[in-house]
Amino acid sequence: MATDTPLDPGAPRELRTERLLLRGWRESDLGPWAALNADPEVRAYFPEVLDRAQSEASAAEFQRQLLARGWGWWAVEVRATGEFIGFAGLDPVDEEVPFDGVEAGWRLTRSAWGHGYATEAARAVLAFGFEELGLPEILALCAAGNLRSRAVMERLGMERDPAEDFDDPTVPEGPLRASVAYRVRAAVPPRP
């Protein structure tokens, strides 16, 4: 039986929006997280779906990173119901990708699509990155065909330079390898 016990002791920083809570990972998140990652439609722009062990390992790593540095991939829940709906956050760009910096990202269960949750969570993440971390810019990367994520990026005011389109070396050869990069700069100069 899943509980609300944190995956790792400690209380990482939480972000709140009008409707959402971005928080540390709990045992009770593992089942819904595994179901989300096993959904071929949710994972349509990733090379494969994940099994339960892979999902649990990723959640444990996300919690470890949140505790270690104070930011990363937060679990997202709907405040009114307490329902876990996915994740959103910030992470350093993978070394293999031809960009340096920090990227924003999100992944929500299908039942949470179409409610503006991804944009709302991402706005909180961007505000945290700019205001708390003092980042000068934040990137968002995705498969070129992922029009849902690209629409969120554009709603966030992120801009794409087609000259920066790239083949993601972390993705096997095929149609999912073609990727795009979006960027948004801080509205005020970063902290010294």
Side-chain angles (χ1 to χ4, degrees):
M1 178 183 199
T3 68
D4 282 342
T5 305
L7 290 182
D8 199 358
R13 172 79 180 271
E14 293 182 344
L15 306 180
R16 292 178 185 270
T17 70
E18 181 180 336
R19 301 181 297 163
L20 303 173
L21 172 64
L22 284 68
R23 57 160 173 78
W25 292 76
R26 300 176 182 155
E27 234 179 276
S28 58
D29 300 333
L30 297 179
W33 177 240
L36 180 156
N37 284 310
D39 184 334
E41 196 167 341
V42 171
R43 300 279 305 179
Y45 296 100
F46 294 91
E48 61 191 14
V49 296
L50 301 182
D51 64 26
R52 174 116 186 177
Q54 291 169 313
S55 290
E56 287 185 6
S58 68
E61 179 60 15
F62 298 157
Q63 180 71 0
R64 187 195 69 72
Q65 291 173 355
L66 282 171
L67 292 170
R69 67 178 176 222
W71 55 277
W73 300 121
W74 285 276
V76 177
E77 77 174 46
V78 177
R79 290 176 60 185
T81 64
E83 175 189 8
F84 169 88
I85 60 169
F87 86 156
L90 297 166
D91 201 48
V93 174
D94 290 337
E95 292 177 4
E96 302 87 356
V97 175
F99 302 101
D100 290 323
V102 173
E103 71 172 307
W106 47 86
R107 187 178 322 141
L108 303 180
T109 187
R110 261 192 293 156
S111 65
W113 293 0
H115 300 282
Y117 292 144
T119 303
E120 187 172 330
R123 284 190 201 290
V125 164
L126 292 179
F128 177 84
F130 292 135
E131 296 166 13
E132 301 293 325
L133 301 180
L135 297 172
E137 93 174 345
I138 297 174
L139 291 93
L141 312 173
C142 73
N146 190 342
L147 300 182
R148 284 181 172 277
S149 279
R150 290 176 66 172
V152 171
M153 294 169 193
E154 290 167 8
R155 279 193 294 276
L156 295 169
M158 300 183 105
E159 296 180 354
R160 171 182 163 241
D161 178 350
E164 290 187 326
D165 291 358
F166 68 104
D167 285 339
D168 188 338
T170 67
V171 175
E173 288 289 338
L176 297 179
R177 196 166 212 199
S179 300
V180 294
Y182 283 73
R183 298 173 183 269
V184 63
R185 296 202 50 79
V188 295
R191 294 185 312 209

